[in-house]
Amino acid sequence: MNTFKEKLQNGEFVVSAELEPPKGTDISEFINKAKIIKPWVDAVNVTDNQRAMLRLSSASGCTILKQMGLEPIFQVTSRDRNRLAIQSDLLGVNALGVKNVLAISGDYPTLGDHPGAKIVYDVDSVHILDIVSKMNKGVDMRGHQLEGGTDFFPGAVFNSNVDMSELQLFKIKLKCDQGAKFFQTQIIYDVKRFKEFIDQFASYGIERDQIFILAGILPFRSAKNARFINDNVPGINIPQWMINELETAQDPKKLGLEISANLIKELQPVCDGVHIMTVGREKMIPKLMEAIGFKPSNNIDELNALSS
């Protein structure tokens, strides 16, 4: 079976999703959610204290998914670790067979459940990519030889919704220069604007054919849900017409899935895949994948039992 990296390199339209580890040691729900999405996705991000909320480590979550036969993406933030800890964690997960890594800076602790936590930010996401690139060559951040290098497929993130697109494009270029091979984006609701953003790559020296882009998708549950995202998630501006339609819909969840399915179909010619964020509602993923004509990769009877 081809890996996440190989599928992208072969031109397949890939699907990644996101799982939050538990806030504790009970992993039963985490495992059940992983089983639900397993037939439908090519890789799974395990979040790293997402929204600055304490949870089981991404490294542990990735190991669990690996044992279940899913392909994990290790998220590593610079918020909580210095350069020694980051390099140690990278060596650890690679030794356990985790080959995908997503470098991010991380949300500020003031947004989470430990607002008094000290911010580290010894390095940023660009530096993490540089560390990964060096480790893939068999040396550490300082150029010291490792007793066995890594073989990571490195990724990063970007947001095409921001007004300061020049800064975002400059950062994408920096991330590419430091070895990023795939990008997962912030939630996309305006395909036209997304296309216009991608069209600017060449002007900033970003070689579109050298990277893979997975567009972020988050299915709505209601108009209230859409308004909450608009008000609380920086860099997101959900069109008012979508909110109006959700407000008057007899079945807002169904309409939310239809909107997301249509977005994916529009995005297919523009990107290399999609990254689906369901914020704890992983049962939406099979329904969304069915809506765009995707087929599960393994036992459909088991899937239906888990999704019921």
Side-chain angles (χ1 to χ4, degrees):
M1 183 181 293
N2 287 339
T3 64
F4 173 64
K5 175 182 177 180
E6 290 168 342
K7 289 175 181 178
L8 284 167
Q9 292 175 334
N10 292 339
E12 295 183 40
F13 191 81
V14 304
V15 177
S16 64
E18 202 162 87
L19 280 180
E20 296 180 351
K23 186 180 172 71
T25 59
D26 183 353
I27 61 172
S28 55
E29 185 178 0
F30 181 76
I31 289 173
N32 286 336
K33 288 178 176 180
K35 288 178 180 178
I36 289 171
I37 66 175
K38 181 179 179 180
W40 302 95
V41 301
D42 301 294
V44 182
N45 288 27
V46 181
T47 58
D48 184 14
N49 290 336
Q50 186 179 7
R51 300 186 305 279
M53 304 284 282
L54 172 65
R55 290 182 178 274
L56 187 79
S57 70
S58 178
S60 298
C62 285
T63 303
I64 294 165
L65 294 187
K66 184 76 178 173
Q67 292 170 345
M68 293 177 63
L70 288 97
E71 186 165 1
I73 299 174
F74 174 56
Q75 280 193 6
V76 55
T77 70
S78 59
R79 175 194 58 223
D80 307 321
R81 305 168 178 84
N82 66 13
R83 63 194 68 190
L84 278 170
I86 288 171
Q87 290 176 96
S88 180
D89 284 349
L90 287 168
L91 290 174
V93 296
N94 200 259
L96 292 170
V98 177
K99 304 302 181 184
N100 309 300
V101 60
L102 188 78
I104 53 180
S105 296
D107 301 314
Y108 274 82
T110 51
L111 302 173
D113 57 359
H114 286 66
K118 184 176 181 180
I119 299 171
V120 180
Y121 291 131
D122 179 32
V123 294
D124 62 14
S125 57
V126 175
H127 288 113
I128 294 174
L129 290 166
D130 180 50
I131 289 170
V132 171
S133 180
K134 285 184 168 67
M135 285 186 158
N136 279 350
K137 296 173 183 175
V139 296
D140 68 13
M141 186 180 183
R142 294 291 305 279
H144 303 137
Q145 198 70 34
L146 297 171
E147 296 176 8
T150 59
D151 53 350
F152 281 119
F153 184 48
V157 298
F158 71 76
N159 186 355
S160 64
N161 303 303
V162 294
D163 293 329
M164 295 289 290
S165 61
E166 296 86 357
L167 177 60
Q168 192 69 201
L169 287 159
F170 177 71
K171 289 178 68 176
I172 294 170
K173 170 61 174 166
L174 285 177
K175 291 175 181 180
C176 290
D177 290 345
Q178 297 305 325
K181 300 302 181 186
F182 73 93
F183 285 85
Q184 293 174 335
T185 81
Q186 182 56 280
I187 308 162
I188 302 296
Y189 292 116
D190 187 336
V191 177
K192 181 176 180 291
R193 181 171 180 171
F194 181 65
K195 289 178 180 177
E196 291 171 349
F197 184 85
I198 300 298
D199 287 343
Q200 297 180 72
F201 276 16
S203 300
Y204 286 80
I206 303 165
E207 299 181 56
R208 175 65 183 90
D209 61 349
Q210 298 299 307
I211 57 174
F212 304 102
I213 298 175
L214 281 67
I217 296 291
L218 193 157
F220 296 125
R221 302 187 302 277
S222 64
K224 180 181 178 181
N225 175 223
R227 284 193 294 269
F228 178 85
I229 293 169
N230 257 358
D231 295 339
N232 294 279
V233 181
I236 299 296
N237 185 20
I238 299 166
Q240 189 60 44
W241 68 263
M242 286 188 184
I243 297 175
N244 293 341
E245 288 194 6
L246 287 162
E247 195 79 68
T248 58
Q250 289 186 339
D251 189 340
K253 289 183 181 178
K254 181 180 179 182
L255 178 60
L257 287 170
E258 289 174 359
I259 289 172
S260 292
N262 289 334
L263 283 169
I264 293 173
K265 290 173 184 176
E266 286 185 67
L267 286 163
Q268 278 184 292
V270 188
C271 56
D272 305 287
V274 289
H275 177 60
I276 303 173
M277 296 166 269
T278 56
V279 196
R281 290 169 171 80
E282 285 73 18
K283 290 183 180 181
M284 300 174 76
I285 290 179
K287 297 174 183 177
L288 178 57
M289 292 296 96
E290 287 177 337
I292 59 175
F294 275 46
K295 303 295 183 184
S297 61
N298 52 16
N299 196 302
I300 190 67
D301 294 327
E302 177 186 356
L303 171 73
N304 288 336
L306 288 165
S307 301
S308 62

